[in-house]
């Protein structure tokens, strides 16, 4: 018998031996506790046709040796058509004529996402920006080199009117909501181009809120253009080395020039989308004697264009690009402002108040990112579960797996409705159709939505990656970027605690009117659900939680600033959970709602809806807790020797 025949007989023996072991492992044993009771026998030798084995044996070094099973990757479908809550929401709210037109555009846009934009987004992730500080001849050029896909995203954003839509107001107050829906569909495929778009929208909003003064009309036209050759993006430079949350330590000074402009001199620590055409930034005016007003009351808002007519940087030096956990597609830099020519656009000392219009918009964009991320990881996860085989059946047929995705779905639908509510209220405000209650509600819900959905997105996207097993952890699947990017949503544009304090700021600045608006809007939304048998129990649970929240605010108001500060995060979470509950129930009570809408609303009400009430009952906000919290954190820390 030839050497070759001997070898093939040996290998055949090896394979059938291996298969035999596999089967052994999976022979059913009697008790429930044992592994195989849960997992029925999988494949056996018969799976491997003799001929195939013999074929493979012919070539000692051949591809056949690595087998030919390759798991299909999760595919992206038309995100507009596949989003049940989005379809239902638009059908419930938009006038039929508008719905017809908008649906066609969103369907077409979602096809473009699949066929063109998603791949560009991936390219932005794989080709992050680089800084070329010097040219070949030693001249300092500080070029931020971005990939062609990133540049293409800018053109697509103009073509699709991702900013223009909100300012053209073709559909009156609905235009803002339609813009937000488009950005929500675009976000997970945008290569994080949503970031410059958020600040661009914010800059247009600030300029419009200032009455679009003549010097800014050209910029406004560029920011809201649908022409890729004209379209500008903007930055938002608020963060310096002394602080991003607290801008009191801003060191940048602004020197008045004879022509009425100011030159800026300072150091910006974190500037995103630094390849933008213009930016808004804070600076401290300095008089001819070198005096400045300290604190945030000394800060004014400045408009500047990054390059002059010859394309040269406008008194700006790019020190370095930031090395970030996520949003690596976005050029983020440290900048030296060395006489950057700028225009003061706010009254002197009103810089923070004036840029707050930008904060409102960028925080709503942050909520877009959160809701969009959750939607994307769920849609990919459910698609994958329909084609991934494990333990004898598809993942979609494993109840525990589906229960996990269903819980993610409840979170995503809640976040989506909260996003739509802020967009609806903003659209009303921008078209002067908002009632006083609407305006108070918008002021309160903007920070609540940003802080709550940012946290939700992190939890849901992390859970989502798990639904792909090990592949969720492999960078070349493109999935981990979803989690790395989602982490920024809780940090920039104000961290969770800073926005919780902004919720308190809105209560104090409005003498509690934002809460009155919240209580009455929530009660209104729950009325219909109280009449629907399937929903009345959940509606009553939500009303009880609302009652608890009212009780808490009444007591806390008497207990002063530090008590409220300690409760700020739980208080904001309670506002979010109760309001989302009322939105889900209001939607589920709508005659056109589906059974899944009802089920989703019921599931939401089964959680702790008013954590602040529960935490207060356990004394979490009193002065003793304050001391104990610090002791708990610093126990055995060398920092506290004898101090605590
Ligand atoms: O992160 C950044 C860029 C990242 C890229 C953008 C991506 C966008 C999302 C994309 C997702 C896809 S730029 C850095 C962002 N920085 C922040 O968000 C700052 C966080 N810190 C705060 O919010 C602080 O609370 C400050 C800076 C507002 C605190 O300022 P003050 O001056 O210490 O606080 P005051 O004194 O309370 O506020 C000053 C004035 C007051 O008005 P008056 O004087 O009339 O009483 C406030 O009412 O500003 C007003 N004000 C507001 N008004 C403050 N915040 C607001 C607000 N949210 N709405 C209306």
């Amino acid at each position: 018998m030839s050497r070759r025949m001997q070898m093939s007989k040996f290998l055949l023996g090896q394979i059938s031996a291996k298969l035999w072991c596999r089967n052994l492992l999976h022979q059913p044993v009697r008790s429930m506790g044992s592994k195989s009771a849960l997992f029925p026998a999988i494949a056996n030798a018969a799976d491997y046709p003799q001929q195939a084995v013999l074929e493979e044996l012919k070539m000692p070094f051949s591809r056949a040796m690595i087998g030919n099973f390759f798991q299909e990757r999760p595919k992206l479908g038309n995100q507009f058509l596949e989003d049940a809550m989005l379809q239902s929401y638009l059908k419930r709210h938009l006038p039929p004529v508008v719905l017809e037109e908008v649906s066609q555009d969103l369907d077409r846009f979602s096809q473009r996402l699949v066929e063109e934009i998603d791949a560009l987004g991936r390219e932005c992730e794989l080709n992050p920006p680089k800084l070329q500080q010097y040219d070949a001849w030693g001249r300092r050029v500080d070029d931020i080199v971005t990939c062609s896909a990133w540049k293409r995203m800018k053109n697509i954003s103009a073509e699709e009117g991702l900013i223009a839509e909100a300012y053209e107001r073709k559909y009156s107050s609905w235009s803002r909501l339609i813009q937000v829906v488009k950005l929500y569909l675009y976000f997970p495929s945008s290569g994080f181009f949503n970031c410059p778009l958020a600040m661009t929208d914010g800059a247009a909003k600030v300029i419009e809120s200032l009455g679009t003064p003549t010097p800014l009309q050209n910029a406004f036209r560029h920011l809201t253009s649908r022409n890729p050759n004209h379209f500008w993006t903007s930055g938002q430079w608020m963060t310096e080395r002394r602080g991003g949350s607290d801008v009191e330590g801003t060191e940048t000074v602004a020197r008045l020039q004879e022509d009425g402009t100011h030159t800026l001199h300072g150091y910006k620590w974190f500037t995103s989308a630094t390849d933008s055409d213009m930016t808004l930034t804070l600076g401290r005016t300095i008089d001819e004697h070198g005096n400045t007003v300290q604190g945030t009351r000394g800060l004014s808002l400045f408009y500047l264009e990054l390059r002059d007519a010859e394309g040269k940087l406008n008194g700006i030096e790019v020190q370095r690009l930031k090395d970030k956990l996520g949003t690596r597609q976005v050029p983020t830099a440290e900048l030296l402002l060395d006489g950057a020519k700028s225009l003061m656009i706010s009254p002197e000392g009103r810089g923070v108040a004036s840029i707050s219009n930008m904060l409102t918009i960028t925080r709503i964009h942050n909520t877009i990112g959160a809701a969009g991320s959750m939607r994307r990881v769920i849609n990919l996860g459910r698609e994958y579960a329909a084609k991934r085989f494990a333990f004898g059946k598809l993942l979609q047929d494993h109840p525990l797996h589906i229960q996990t995705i269903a819980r993610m779905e409840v979170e995503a639908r809640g976040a989506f409705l909260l996003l739509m509510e802020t967009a609806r209220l903003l659209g009303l405000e921008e078209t002067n159709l908002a009632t006083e209650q609407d305006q108070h509600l918008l002021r309160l819900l903007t920070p609540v939505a940003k802080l709550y959905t940012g946290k939700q997105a992190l939890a849901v996207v992390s859970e989502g990656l798990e639904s792909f097993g090990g592949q969720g952890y492999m960078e070349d699947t493109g999935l981990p970027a979803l989690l790395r990017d989602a982490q920024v949503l809780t940090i920039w544009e104000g961290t969770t605690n800073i926005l919780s304090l902004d919720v308190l700021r809105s209560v104090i600045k409005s003498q509690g009117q934002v809460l009155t608006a919240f209580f009455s809007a929530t009660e209104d939304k729950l009325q219909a659900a109280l009449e629907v048998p399937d929903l009345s129990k959940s509606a009553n649970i939500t009303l009880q939680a609302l009652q608890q929240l009212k009780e808490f605010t009444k007591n806390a108001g008497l207990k002063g600033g530090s008590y409220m500060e300690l409760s700020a995060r739980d208080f904001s979470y309670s506002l979010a959970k109760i309001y989302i509950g009322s939105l889900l129930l209001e939607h589920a009570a709508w005659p056109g709602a589906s059974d899944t809408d009802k089920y989703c609303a019921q599931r939401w009400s089964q959680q702790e809806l008013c954590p602040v009430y529960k935490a207060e009952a356990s004394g979490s906000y009193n002065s003793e807790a304050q001391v104990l919290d610090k002791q708990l954190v610093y126990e055995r820390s060398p920092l506290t020797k004898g101090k605590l």
Side-chain angles (χ1 to χ4, degrees):
M1 178 191 287
S2 73
R3 180 134 177 67
R4 202 167 157 74
M5 283 309 288
Q6 284 169 354
M7 166 62 86
S8 51
K9 234 166 133 305
F10 166 74
L11 283 173
L12 195 53
Q14 287 300 316
I15 290 173
S16 48
K18 221 187 253 137
L19 285 173
W20 182 79
C21 304
R22 236 169 95 92
N23 274 340
L24 181 65
L25 269 179
H26 294 301
Q27 283 316 315
V29 287
R30 301 283 150 257
S31 74
M32 259 308 290
S34 77
K35 184 160 154 286
S36 58
L38 291 173
F39 312 118
I42 303 181
N44 58 28
D47 288 355
Y48 273 74
Q50 196 80 4
Q51 192 45 39
V53 174
L54 291 173
E55 282 306 313
E56 285 165 12
L57 283 179
K58 281 208 190 72
M59 303 300 293
F61 295 102
S62 75
R63 176 140 299 290
M65 299 307 282
I66 68 164
N68 49 24
F69 170 79
F70 294 97
Q71 174 59 46
E72 245 193 283
R73 66 182 183 82
K75 282 219 176 57
L76 189 67
N78 180 309
Q79 296 299 291
F80 171 61
L81 298 179
E82 293 181 10
D83 193 325
M85 180 53 104
L86 171 57
Q87 292 284 335
S88 170
Y89 183 89
L90 293 181
K91 196 153 170 251
R92 177 174 145 224
H93 283 277
L94 293 187
V97 184
V98 177
L99 178 64
E100 176 58 30
E101 231 173 87
V102 167
S103 296
Q104 282 169 15
D105 180 58
L106 292 174
D107 184 354
R108 173 203 56 75
F109 179 57
S110 295
Q111 253 347 89
R112 188 175 187 185
L113 282 174
V114 174
E115 290 153 11
E116 178 191 0
I117 297 172
D118 197 59
L120 288 170
R122 181 71 181 141
E123 224 182 296
C124 294
E125 171 72 22
L126 298 173
N127 304 286
K130 294 181 181 52
L131 173 61
Q132 186 188 345
Q133 224 145 20
Y134 296 90
D135 70 10
W137 305 98
R139 278 192 211 82
R140 178 146 187 170
V141 288
D142 284 350
D143 272 348
I144 295 177
V145 183
T146 54
C147 67
S148 58
W150 178 261
K151 295 184 180 71
R152 182 84 192 99
M153 285 297 192
K154 187 175 181 181
N155 296 348
I156 290 172
S157 300
E159 293 159 10
E160 292 290 345
L162 294 181
I163 301 301
E165 180 90 46
Y167 294 88
E168 292 162 351
R169 301 192 176 108
K170 176 180 173 193
Y171 303 109
S172 177
S173 65
W174 292 115
S175 287
R176 177 52 86 172
L177 185 131
I178 293 160
Q179 178 229 18
V180 167
V181 166
K182 222 167 172 177
L183 288 165
Y184 158 80
L185 293 167
Y186 177 58
F187 178 83
S189 295
S190 76
F192 233 96
F193 201 80
N194 275 63
C195 168
L197 291 180
M199 299 183 283
T200 302
D201 195 351
K205 178 77 179 176
V206 166
I207 293 172
E208 193 181 54
S209 68
L210 294 168
T212 321
T214 313
L216 298 174
Q217 284 172 357
N218 178 45
F220 185 79
R221 277 192 296 275
H222 281 287
L223 295 172
T224 56
S225 171
R226 284 179 183 265
N227 176 345
N229 302 325
H230 281 163
F231 180 56
W232 278 7
T233 56
S234 175
Q236 171 195 19
W237 300 351
M238 293 176 68
T239 304
E240 297 195 3
R241 286 185 289 219
R242 286 181 182 280
S245 294
D246 176 4
V247 295
E248 179 140 295
T250 295
E251 298 173 305
T252 297
V253 294
R255 291 185 192 288
L256 180 62
Q257 306 300 301
E258 279 158 21
D259 63 0
T261 63
H262 284 78
T263 53
L264 297 179
H265 309 265
Y267 198 94
K268 297 295 177 181
W269 179 244
F270 184 93
T271 63
S272 274
T274 322
D275 60 329
S276 59
D277 304 275
M278 59 159 279
T279 191
L280 299 184
T281 190
L282 295 173
R284 197 175 298 286
T285 46
I286 187 166
D287 66 19
E288 64 280 10
H289 310 297
N291 303 320
T292 59
V293 176
Q294 288 311 304
T296 58
R297 297 287 173 240
L299 296 176
S300 303
L301 184 60
F302 295 87
Y303 159 85
L304 68 106
E305 292 169 20
L306 273 74
R307 291 181 182 275
D308 60 20
E310 283 80 51
K312 226 166 75 16
L313 277 172
N314 167 19
I316 298 166
E317 279 193 4
V318 184
Q319 301 303 302
R320 65 174 176 152
L321 289 185
K322 294 285 197 181
D323 181 11
K324 303 171 287 176
L325 165 69
T327 69
R328 292 178 182 161
Q329 319 91 328
V330 182
T332 299
E334 276 176 40
L335 300 177
L336 172 66
L337 305 185
D338 186 4
K341 192 171 177 198
S342 68
L343 206 59
M344 186 162 80
I345 60 172
S346 74
E348 195 153 356
R350 298 297 291 158
V352 175
S354 304
I355 206 169
S356 65
N357 277 306
M358 190 174 204
L359 292 175
T360 297
I361 295 293
T362 52
R363 288 166 182 175
I364 291 175
H365 276 253
N366 207 80
T367 307
I368 292 171
S373 307
M374 289 188 250
R375 174 49 51 208
R376 178 56 59 89
V377 81
I378 292 169
N379 282 9
L380 290 175
R382 70 179 186 182
E383 209 276 337
Y384 185 67
K387 60 175 64 164
R388 179 64 172 173
F389 201 85
F391 306 112
K393 51 189 172 180
L394 292 168
L395 288 181
Q396 69 181 16
D397 301 324
H398 285 278
L400 181 59
H401 187 77
I402 292 304
Q403 179 199 65
T404 305
I405 300 185
R407 289 177 176 175
M408 293 158 61
E409 181 69 32
V410 171
E411 296 294 330
R413 290 188 182 207
F416 173 80
L417 285 185
L418 188 56
L419 169 64
M420 288 297 105
E421 181 72 350
T422 50
R424 184 184 69 81
L425 293 166
L426 180 61
L428 289 171
E429 187 201 58
E430 290 173 325
T431 49
N432 303 320
L433 297 170
T435 62
E436 200 181 332
Q437 173 172 308
D438 292 334
Q439 289 172 10
H440 285 307
L441 214 42
L442 176 63
R443 176 66 183 92
L444 180 71
L445 291 181
T446 300
V448 165
K450 191 276 185 191
L451 69 90
Y452 189 75
T453 60
K455 283 289 184 191
Q456 272 185 307
L458 213 46
V460 168
V461 171
S462 166
E463 186 71 72
L465 293 193
E466 218 180 294
S467 69
F468 298 92
Q471 288 298 86
Y473 198 67
M474 300 306 149
E475 280 290 353
D476 53 2
T477 62
L479 293 165
L482 283 171
L483 184 63
R484 286 190 286 98
D485 290 347
Q487 179 62 68
V488 80
L489 299 173
T490 65
I491 297 173
W492 68 15
E493 296 303 339
T495 61
T496 307
N497 283 349
I498 290 295
L499 287 218
S500 299
L501 296 175
D502 187 55
V503 168
L504 295 189
R505 177 191 283 115
S506 73
V507 174
I508 295 159
K509 295 275 177 189
S510 69
Q511 281 102 26
Q513 289 180 75
V514 294
L515 284 183
T516 312
F518 177 90
F519 294 144
S520 116
T522 307
E523 280 155 0
D524 291 352
K525 289 183 186 307
L526 290 171
Q527 285 320 307
L530 287 166
E531 312 304 321
V532 179
D534 295 358
L535 301 173
S536 55
K537 180 166 172 260
S538 302
N540 277 311
I541 290 169
T542 312
L543 270 179
Q544 279 155 25
L546 188 68
Q547 198 46 45
Q548 290 174 339
L549 189 65
K550 284 183 181 175
E551 237 174 272
F552 167 78
T553 49
K554 215 166 63 238
N555 306 339
L558 308 168
K559 296 187 179 153
S562 72
Y563 193 90
M564 277 308 284
E565 183 182 327
L566 262 181
S567 68
R569 185 187 277 223
D570 297 339
F571 176 59
S572 304
Y573 279 23
S574 304
L575 290 166
K577 288 172 183 283
I578 290 169
Y579 203 74
I580 287 174
S582 73
L583 289 168
L584 286 166
L585 284 160
E586 180 192 37
H587 187 77
W590 168 58
S594 64
D595 291 343
T596 48
D597 291 329
K598 291 188 173 62
Y599 177 62
C600 183
Q602 293 157 345
R603 288 293 294 273
W604 183 269
S605 68
Q606 287 157 8
Q607 64 179 297
E608 171 54 62
L609 292 175
C610 191
V612 74
Y613 185 79
K614 199 152 173 248
E616 181 185 42
S618 63
S620 301
Y621 313 130
N622 58 35
S623 51
E624 192 203 356
Q626 214 169 328
V627 173
L628 292 169
D629 283 349
K630 196 156 189 181
Q631 283 175 357
L632 184 61
V633 170
Y634 283 99
E635 192 169 20
R636 294 192 61 76
S637 153
L639 299 169
T640 59
K641 250 209 181 16
K643 282 209 209 99
L644 278 183

